[in-house]
Amino acid sequence: MENGKIDITLPDGSVRSFDKALSGQDLAMDIGPGLAKAALALRIDGEMKDLKTLLDRDTAVEIVTIREDGDEVLELLRHDAAHVLAEAAKELYPETQVTIGPSIENGFYYDFAREKPFTPDDLEKIEKRMHEIVDRDEQIVREEWARDAAVDYFKSIGEHYKAEIIASIPADQPIGIYRQGEFQDLCRGPHLPSTKKLGHAFKLMKLAGAYWRGDSRNEMLQRIYGTAWRNEKELKAYLHRLEEAERRDHRKLGREMDLFHLQEEAVGMVFWHEKGWTLYRTLENYLRHKLEVADYKEVKTPQLVDRKLWEASGHWEKFRDAMYTTESDERTFALKPMNCPCHVQIFNQGITSYRDLPLRMAEFGSCHRYEPSGALHGIMRVRGFTQDDAHIFCTEDQITSETEIFCALLLDVYKDFGFTDVKVKFSDRPEVRAGEDETWDKSEGSLREAIDATGLSYSMNPGEGAFYGPKLEFVLTDAIGRDWQCGTLQVDFVLPERLNANYIGEDGAKHRPVMLHRAIFGSMERFIGILIEEYAGRFPLWLAPEQVVVATITDEADDYAREVLAALKAKGLRASLDLRNEKINYKVREHSLAKVPALLVAGKREAEEKTISVRRLGEKHQKVLDLGEAIDQLVEEAKVPGL
RNA sequence: GCCGCCGUAGCUCAGGGGUAGAGCACUCCCUUGGUAAGGGAGAGGCCGACAGUUCGAAUCUGUCCGGCGGCACCA
């Protein structure tokens, strides 16, 4: 800044000098009118700022345009879309109060407070008004207000939620107010220079309820969700993705593929049909084998257990409302919502030596929980489910190595299903919890040490741990982009204490073991739901409930087709026969729609030559192979991983 | 649980104060056809449940049940 000059360094390394301070807009114009037109914001020292920011010192500046890839531009657009949404809603329905409206993955939302609910018709009107506001090309101007003045202002115009938000901001922080047209909103920014820059590639998607400040004790607001993109093409691509995702919805495929159903008489409980149950058993046996190799001991514990045990474990106090109970012999029993207390009962039989640790006790444990009705979702969130549960009883010293061993096993299993990018979350102590703070310090510390030892990257999930200990969550994503916790690992110093679990140490004295609660699939039901969506119903051969259909072209091949079926079954393949009096086109179409991985077609020629025409799902053409060769190939491909 | 929307044949959906319709699937008949729908006929519904309004309710109103989308919850 010599001689009052301001040097601006551009991303290409070139430097422009100016006599006096200038706005980012001026800078863009100075470089070229095309750039000025495309400019949306600035990146000053790597941080996004308004395009109108005054540049009054030497600095490195990057001009952000609509053509820039990456999420930052999208976040900017979406955040503005939320403001335009709020402006439109206020214009059309002035009695509405605005609250917050952030950008989110794929879009944005805005929460409104209003007596009368918005209707789908209102959505259309609001969207139309949003387009008008964009066309008005309203300048978006940032101002900074004193906090108390801002609170008074918003109170005076009846925006009590806004006033409350501002009042909760620390007094020494500046209050940024963005004005566009008649609409003013509290906001940190940055924003576009004008509403026109938002463009028209946005769409309002859905109406929903949402609690004020995310707390169910508060009143419910009305949330409007929308999506926004750089251009029409991206918007269309997104809408198309949504349609594709709907096609692989496990609820739809579950019905179409005759895997399972749900009905009113057993809400949240799955009726497994033959094909779905075959899939279920295949998975269970696969995992059972993995567990055997990993030195787990499988057990089975009772469904109905006296409430005394749940009181002792602490579950009764915390989850009583979500437990199914029944009275008998003047005692109260609960359908088990978890397996851990039962596993401790097995552990407590006899005397355990430190030589027995780590003891890995596994169960495909059938559990029931009275989940809130609004939480139910297909077979992903149900009231009756089976956990691939296990508890590792070990010493404190063994936590790290057991965590490493478990994470390796989990990733190995996930890899067999093609899940390679797994989100890991670390959830620490919740507000309501059992155990002393010192115990939590210890358990969180040891889990952190253990996860660090695995080298996996993870994100923090504060306050989301189980009531007895911190946990790792292994999260998979469904077709519609929703995250589901599947695997978990939880460190527990509390239950062994409460249920008096002991082992005899090297010193001959009693010691408390640590329990590691862990699951890989999480629940069989949820994992199967995820798999259906992941594969869009087109399972790999080893998982497919119906692996092969033998279909005939004429009834002259019926006897041969029966021989083929027998040969397939003798090799352990799941196969069936289609001898119907239908054209081969019809049969191909039907079995393709049913997503049968392999169709073996037999006509007169094949019968005479002892060959078979192999048509694989997803391929346009078929291959004629020697029967033995065809079967060998299928058998090889149908091998269960790890077996 | 809370907010909004929805509930008609096995599935997808149309209709809408005067006793219910399509396509696919299903059953039967004809067709023996070489790799994604051959032709014909037939059967199938207490219009989610209960109450109310009405001469009359699948249709209007209310309550409940269930589903869907969010929110909250998730040992």
Side-chain angles (χ1 to χ4, degrees):
Chain A
M1 239 177 102
E2 286 168 43
N3 312 325
K5 277 198 184 287
I6 294 172
D7 290 342
I8 304 292
T9 309
L10 297 172
D12 65 358
S14 66
V15 177
R16 283 178 184 249
S17 290
F18 299 91
D19 293 336
K20 56 180 178 15
L22 74 168
S23 75
Q25 183 88 61
D26 298 335
L27 173 67
M29 189 59 90
D30 188 66
I31 299 170
L35 181 64
K37 203 176 163 204
L40 299 183
L42 304 177
R43 201 175 277 113
I44 301 175
D45 299 328
E47 202 183 330
M48 289 279 272
K49 295 282 185 190
D50 291 338
L51 187 62
K52 288 167 186 156
T53 303
L54 196 66
L55 304 167
D56 54 6
R57 59 184 174 88
D58 295 354
T59 180
V61 175
E62 190 180 343
I63 293 174
V64 176
T65 73
I66 189 80
R67 288 187 288 273
E68 182 179 300
D69 288 336
D71 291 340
E72 280 194 317
V73 170
L74 284 172
E75 279 168 28
L76 189 69
L77 289 173
R78 289 166 182 167
H79 192 179
D80 270 86
H83 274 232
V84 172
L85 162 58
E87 184 180 358
K90 284 293 288 185
E91 284 186 8
L92 289 164
Y93 312 99
E95 75 284 8
T96 303
Q97 290 188 62
V98 296
T99 67
I100 55 161
S103 76
I104 52 172
E105 198 176 1
N106 297 322
F108 59 93
Y109 68 77
Y110 209 109
D111 284 348
F112 299 98
R114 185 170 179 248
E115 286 283 314
K116 217 173 121 201
F118 288 118
T119 66
D121 280 351
D122 294 338
L123 267 202
E124 273 182 43
K125 286 183 198 136
I126 294 171
E127 188 176 304
K128 191 159 165 268
R129 181 61 64 95
M130 287 174 71
H131 286 291
E132 290 168 20
I133 291 171
V134 169
D135 289 336
R136 280 185 216 154
D137 195 12
E138 291 173 353
Q139 291 299 301
I140 303 174
V141 183
R142 181 188 169 96
E143 294 169 9
E144 285 196 7
W145 292 19
R147 191 186 68 168
D148 294 345
V151 171
D152 290 346
Y153 169 73
F154 281 102
K155 269 190 187 158
S156 76
I157 58 169
E159 295 283 6
H160 301 289
Y161 290 91
K162 219 46 165 187
E164 192 181 323
I165 294 170
I166 298 169
S168 66
I169 294 175
D172 56 342
Q173 277 184 31
I175 305 296
I177 301 289
Y178 280 81
R179 180 203 304 278
Q180 56 192 61
E182 300 295 305
F183 179 70
Q184 310 193 72
D185 200 356
L186 163 82
C187 192
R188 193 179 293 125
H191 272 286
L192 299 172
S194 90
T195 57
K196 190 173 186 177
K197 299 284 182 183
L198 172 58
H200 291 281
F202 61 83
K203 185 173 161 57
L204 296 185
M205 303 296 285
K206 54 197 175 193
L207 283 163
Y211 295 108
W212 166 236
R213 302 207 141 156
D215 190 328
S216 61
R217 288 167 298 193
N218 291 341
E219 59 275 32
M220 182 150 283
L221 307 173
Q222 294 184 63
R223 177 170 296 180
I224 297 178
Y225 281 96
T227 188
W229 299 85
R230 291 181 187 80
N231 53 52
E232 206 62 32
K233 196 176 155 199
E234 283 187 3
L235 173 63
K236 274 211 175 112
Y238 172 67
L239 296 176
H240 182 70
R241 270 208 308 284
L242 285 185
E243 281 173 29
E244 289 297 309
E246 249 173 69
R247 258 175 235 145
R248 48 170 72 196
D249 188 311
H250 76 282
R251 294 164 297 189
K252 186 175 152 70
L253 289 173
R255 185 177 52 238
E256 286 173 3
M257 297 176 72
D258 197 18
L259 300 175
F260 59 83
H261 85 270
L262 299 156
Q263 69 181 54
E264 256 187 72
E265 287 74 7
V267 173
M269 323 257 172
V270 185
F271 289 78
W272 287 105
H273 298 195
E274 188 212 338
K275 284 181 186 155
W277 188 240
T278 300
L279 176 58
Y280 185 112
R281 283 182 296 127
T282 304
L283 275 171
E284 192 180 78
N285 287 332
Y286 156 83
L287 190 59
R288 179 170 281 131
H289 182 256
K290 286 276 182 190
L291 292 178
E292 276 167 13
V293 171
D295 198 27
Y296 281 76
K297 315 293 180 197
E298 186 176 331
V299 300
K300 195 77 181 173
T301 59
Q303 298 287 305
L304 277 174
V305 180
D306 195 301
R307 70 180 265 186
K308 284 191 200 115
L309 184 63
W310 307 111
E311 283 168 351
S313 70
H315 289 93
W316 188 265
E317 190 190 352
K318 184 150 170 41
F319 293 111
R320 194 255 165 284
D321 289 344
M323 287 163 75
Y324 290 97
T325 55
T326 179
E327 308 285 329
S328 201
D329 294 338
E330 293 172 26
R331 289 161 57 172
T332 305
F333 297 86
L335 264 175
K336 71 172 170 185
M338 295 223 67
N339 309 297
C340 26
C342 292
H343 287 185
V344 177
Q345 304 314 303
I346 295 181
F347 182 87
N348 284 353
Q349 296 301 113
I351 295 168
T352 305
S353 153
Y354 71 94
R355 295 175 204 275
D356 300 321
L357 304 184
L359 177 62
R360 308 185 187 93
M361 192 184 293
E363 177 172 0
F364 289 95
S366 175
C367 297
H368 289 81
R369 296 177 186 174
Y370 184 73
E371 300 283 7
S373 58
L376 301 177
H377 179 86
I379 62 172
M380 306 272 223
R381 188 82 186 269
V382 283
R383 289 177 175 163
F385 56 98
T386 305
Q387 293 179 321
D388 64 312
D389 203 3
H391 296 93
I392 302 172
F393 296 87
C394 63
T395 66
E396 281 182 46
D397 290 346
Q398 290 166 334
I399 294 176
T400 299
S401 61
E402 283 304 305
T403 299
E404 287 179 281
I405 293 168
F406 172 70
C407 289
L409 174 65
L410 174 134
L411 293 176
D412 179 49
V413 167
Y414 283 6
K415 192 160 55 70
D416 283 337
F417 300 94
F419 296 119
T420 46
D421 51 344
V422 183
K423 278 185 221 163
V424 186
K425 294 184 187 170
F426 187 116
S427 300
D428 57 17
R429 68 191 75 184
E431 267 180 49
V432 182
R433 57 182 181 263
E436 302 301 317
D437 284 354
E438 287 160 34
T439 309
W440 277 90
D441 291 342
K442 196 162 64 172
S443 55
E444 284 171 0
S446 54
L447 184 59
R448 188 178 285 275
E449 199 176 300
I451 185 67
D452 287 340
T454 66
L456 291 169
S457 57
Y458 58 92
S459 59
M460 289 306 294
N461 202 17
E464 297 295 321
F467 76 88
Y468 48 69
K471 64 181 182 180
L472 298 178
E473 293 177 36
F474 299 88
V475 176
L476 298 175
T477 306
D478 75 5
I480 321 167
R482 287 185 276 217
D483 282 351
W484 295 94
Q485 180 198 311
C486 291
T488 186
L489 175 77
Q490 304 163 6
V491 177
D492 182 1
F493 287 87
V494 174
L495 270 189
E497 180 80 31
R498 291 190 163 221
L499 298 177
N500 195 29
N502 303 297
Y503 68 93
I504 307 298
E506 220 169 336
D507 56 3
K510 276 189 184 177
H511 295 275
R512 214 45 103 197
V514 180
M515 276 173 88
L516 304 180
H517 306 241
R518 43 105 296 162
I520 297 175
F521 291 165
S523 98
M524 299 296 290
E525 289 76 6
R526 174 174 300 177
F527 198 74
I528 290 172
I530 297 265
L531 285 184
I532 292 169
E533 302 198 350
E534 160 86 357
Y535 292 122
R538 300 163 93 108
F539 296 112
L541 199 62
W542 74 275
L543 277 173
E546 183 152 58
Q547 296 173 315
V548 191
V549 167
V550 184
T552 51
I553 291 170
T554 81
D555 57 14
E556 288 173 293
D558 284 4
D559 286 341
Y560 179 60
R562 288 191 187 95
E563 280 175 40
V564 173
L565 179 76
L568 290 166
K569 289 201 161 181
K571 293 282 189 178
L573 289 162
R574 298 185 286 272
S576 63
L577 208 50
D578 185 355
L579 302 181
R580 289 175 306 171
N581 176 14
E582 294 292 350
K583 289 192 170 172
I584 194 61
N585 283 323
Y586 183 90
K587 294 187 184 181
V588 166
R589 175 181 155 82
E590 199 165 81
H591 299 299
S592 299
L593 288 175
K595 302 179 174 62
V596 177
L599 186 61
L600 301 190
V601 176
K604 203 173 160 190
R605 274 203 307 272
E606 287 80 2
E608 282 166 359
E609 295 164 4
K610 300 291 173 199
T611 58
I612 200 77
S613 169
V614 182
R615 185 180 170 117
R616 297 302 304 266
L617 183 61
E619 286 176 16
K620 286 231 163 60
H621 301 289
Q622 61 279 357
K623 278 192 277 215
V624 178
L625 297 178
D626 178 69
L627 178 60
E629 193 188 339
I631 293 178
D632 287 348
Q633 281 182 12
L634 290 171
V635 167
E636 180 60 29
E637 191 182 329
K639 274 190 183 158
V640 177
L643 273 178

